[in-house]
Amino acid sequence: MHTLLVAAHPDPRSLTHHVLSRLEAALHPLSVEAADLAKERFDPAFTLADRRAYHEVGNYPADVVKEHHRLERATDLVLIFPVYWWSMPALLKGWIDRVFVNGWAFDYSPASGLQPKLQALTTHLLPIAGDDSSAYERHGYEEALRTQIEHGIVDYCGSRRGATAFIHESEQASAEATARSVDRAVRIISDAIRARSLTRS
């Protein structure tokens, strides 16, 4: 078992990074690696080189190959991100655009159709939302976010769906209430990963 935690937030003092650290500690002594995309200066821009690699299936840019190697070591992936405009930040979306590419995350051709390739990976989501849970339910925001990520990305690539744990009202005035929300989300994700580790032992 090896878990890759991927965080996308420019501020190292953010709640996103606090959650990353808490989850990393909660998973100890299991094998864990943290990827701070902002600190590592990952370039999310999908370039002509990325497009060529997508269509030619290979010759991926060096920074993409590095991410492939990191993911290939992982049994579990946790995406930790603030919700921007009811979706993930551009940095994380660009990471997925460039890394979860044809020939690696899946194979697709008009002749053979879609063949997912990430069956060995379980993907967990930890979105950090500013609004409360009732607003997400009332407007269908949670369902929309789950559909685009769980179905549109995770299922498409053949990865297993892991746990999804929202932290709502992330900017609330009460530090105690925020701490309880963080504790709950970290517990849900860490328990899901630990349960998987027991079934594999």
Side-chain angles (χ1 to χ4, degrees), residues 37 42 67 73 95 102 108 146 158:
L37 299 182
F42 180 82
E67 299 306 308
R73 293 193 296 269
W95 183 76
N102 190 22
Y108 177 80
R146 282 176 172 268

Side-chain angles (χ1 to χ4, degrees), residues 6-20 35-38 78-93 96 125-131 136 145 148-149 165-171:
V6 177
H9 198 294
D11 187 352
R13 299 166 299 177
S14 66
L15 182 58
T16 299
H17 283 87
H18 172 67
V19 171
L20 172 71
D36 180 349
L37 299 182
V78 185
L79 303 180
I80 305 167
F81 60 93
V83 177
Y84 291 168
W85 292 107
W86 320 116
S87 185
M88 61 180 68
L91 177 58
L92 182 56
K93 179 59 165 59
I96 291 170
L125 306 179
L126 212 164
I128 301 172
D131 219 334
Y136 268 69
L145 192 146
Q148 64 172 298
I149 301 177
F166 278 79
I167 295 174
H168 291 103
E169 297 183 275
S170 60
E171 298 176 354

Side-chain angles (χ1 to χ4, degrees), residues 1 8 10 14 23 30 83 106 128 132-134 141 152-153 179 196:
M1 293 289 295
S14 66
L23 184 54
L30 297 179
V83 177
F106 58 91
I128 301 172
D132 59 50
S133 58
S134 63
Y141 294 145
I153 300 170
R196 279 183 26 76

